[in-house]
Amino acid sequence: MSRSFYRLRDTVRVYYGYEHVIPVHQGRGAENVLSRCLIRPGHRIPGNMYFTTTRAHQELNGGTFHDVIVDEAHDPADESPFKGNVDITKLAGLIREAGADTIPYVCAGAPVNMAGGQPLSMECLARVRELTLRHGIKAILDAARAVENAYFVTSREPGWSGRSIAGILRAMCDLADDATMSAKKDSFADIGGWLGLRDDRLAEQARVLVVLYEGMHTYGGMAGRGVWGRIFRVRPSPSLISRRQVCAGLPRARPPLFPVGRIDQRRRRWSTDGRGVGQRGRAFQRELTEAGGQPGVSTPHAGGCARPRRSAPASPQDPLTRTSAPPNPAAFTLRTGPGRSRLVKDR
């Protein structure tokens, strides 16, 4: 085994607390392995809104996703501080209706990507943990941006303002049995991720599947330098871009979030400062049609602006981290086509 694996494992143990650390090529690799280990046909998987690949892996293995996020998350204008919270009443109702034996785990994203990056509170996570323990259900944390969630907790949740980001991150992980991690998010790595587990038998099962789908369990299909690069970026510290608004003057999800600017798809306008735009893809056309919507039409808070990873860490001179003037609405338009989104200059 390479020394880089041991360094990565020991660092994750310190900051996240998981005994078994299995490297993968991306966070979706961890989702694939975890879903294959735990999900069987007929299973129900509740979560605080879905993420694209997470839900896909759950359904490909025979499960059915159930959205148990609070109703406020579906209103981009709502000012609630923790719109990523799980609705405990919805979750408890699903357990009563379906039975605890049909629910392998509850997946909690912190924060919730598809809700515009809205955070999950420690109080809610503790209540989810209490409910799952009572019924013998696992709690899984999507920890890809858990450091950002910890920053929201220290700035918004009463009783947590004096805690360090690292301390809150560890407290979040202590309330989950296992975790999936994409190192391209909080860790600012070029590629990679890991699966964090506590159960010895589940870890052994996961290592076997990692060999089939990723690579040996000591590198997860990554080159040694890729594993080494993740070691030095795993330590929790919100970047400068996480402390400022990204694009001023744009309609975005409320309350204001700093990791990315959110665009109102109905206005379909973006700023010249925007470096990249994303939308929900074809995987969600079916869901929109079932809900009575039009295929290919995104929800009002489904677009995002992101800075290039190569430009991190940010500087005060970076146009994405300083406050900018309101954009010229006639400058750029977001145009979409089958499976793609792009910025084009209006003529």
Side-chain angles (χ1 to χ4, degrees):
M1 294 186 185
S2 62
R3 287 179 296 172
S4 58
F5 166 73
Y6 291 107
R7 292 285 300 277
L8 174 65
R9 181 199 63 184
D10 294 343
T11 305
V12 172
R13 283 177 176 177
V14 169
Y15 290 105
Y16 293 84
Y18 296 103
E19 176 65 21
H20 301 283
V21 181
I22 304 174
V24 291
H25 82 284
Q26 282 185 334
R28 65 198 62 191
E31 295 168 352
N32 177 40
V33 170
L34 188 69
S35 296
R36 288 177 178 274
C37 287
L38 298 179
I39 298 176
R40 299 293 178 267
H43 277 173
R44 315 282 188 92
I45 303 93
N48 54 343
M49 203 174 281
Y50 61 87
F51 183 65
T52 55
T53 57
T54 310
R55 177 173 178 175
H57 286 305
Q58 293 168 352
E59 295 186 345
L60 285 172
N61 285 280
T64 303
F65 172 81
H66 290 266
D67 190 2
V68 292
I69 200 168
V70 293
D71 293 336
E72 293 85 347
H74 298 284
D75 180 5
D78 190 280
E79 293 283 353
S80 302
F82 290 100
K83 290 162 63 174
N85 279 353
V86 171
D87 188 317
I88 301 299
T89 302
K90 291 181 183 178
L91 178 57
L94 178 63
I95 295 174
R96 285 195 304 270
E97 175 192 343
D101 58 331
T102 68
I103 301 176
Y105 63 85
V106 176
C107 183
V112 183
N113 192 307
M114 300 308 282
Q118 296 291 339
L120 173 71
S121 71
M122 291 297 299
E123 179 186 7
C124 179
L125 189 56
R127 293 181 66 192
V128 170
R129 182 57 169 168
E130 179 186 2
L131 184 60
T132 55
L133 283 175
R134 191 188 316 157
H135 293 279
I137 301 171
K138 280 182 173 290
I140 306 296
L141 181 68
D142 180 349
R145 292 166 54 202
V147 174
E148 292 175 10
N149 198 91
Y151 185 82
F152 282 120
V153 168
T154 191
S155 60
R156 294 183 181 181
E157 189 165 0
W160 291 89
S161 60
R163 299 283 295 273
S164 67
I165 298 295
I168 296 174
L169 176 66
R170 183 59 184 268
M172 290 170 56
C173 293
D174 287 345
L175 293 172
D177 293 288
D178 312 301
T180 58
M181 176 66 175
S182 172
K184 296 192 295 182
K185 310 302 189 298
D186 282 340
S187 297
F188 276 91
D190 292 331
I191 195 70
W194 47 262
L195 176 62
L197 304 170
R198 302 190 195 278
D199 184 84
D200 296 343
R201 293 182 60 185
L202 179 60
E204 226 18 71
Q205 184 182 0
R207 289 189 184 102
V208 172
L209 291 179
V210 162
V211 174
L212 292 177
Y213 296 104
E214 300 288 316
M216 292 301 293
H217 64 275
T218 56
Y219 62 87
M222 298 294 298
R225 60 182 175 82
V227 178
W228 187 265
R230 280 175 279 166
I231 293 171
F232 298 101
R233 295 185 178 95
V234 77
R235 298 174 178 83
S237 176
S239 63
L240 179 59
I241 195 172
S242 296
R243 297 178 183 273
R244 296 170 181 258
Q245 287 294 339
V246 177
C247 301
L250 291 172
R252 60 171 70 85
R254 307 294 299 178
L257 298 170
F258 31 66
V260 292
R262 294 288 156 174
I263 184 174
D264 187 334
Q265 294 289 343
R266 294 192 182 98
R267 290 181 57 177
R268 302 170 70 82
R269 297 291 179 179
W270 200 242
S271 140
T272 56
D273 280 344
R275 304 293 184 85
V277 175
Q279 281 188 300
R280 297 186 185 185
R282 293 181 177 181
F284 310 100
Q285 294 181 3
R286 172 175 55 84
E287 179 194 15
L288 289 165
T289 304
E290 291 173 354
Q294 296 297 318
V297 177
S298 301
T299 56
H301 56 297
C305 169
R307 63 179 293 115
R309 193 182 302 112
R310 290 180 181 177
S311 64
S315 68
Q317 288 74 38
D318 193 313
L320 278 180
T321 56
R322 68 169 182 258
T323 302
S324 60
N328 177 4
F332 285 82
T333 300
L334 174 66
R335 294 183 181 173
T336 61
R340 67 180 184 275
S341 300
R342 57 193 178 95
L343 284 174
V344 296
K345 192 167 183 176
D346 288 345
R347 294 177 183 271

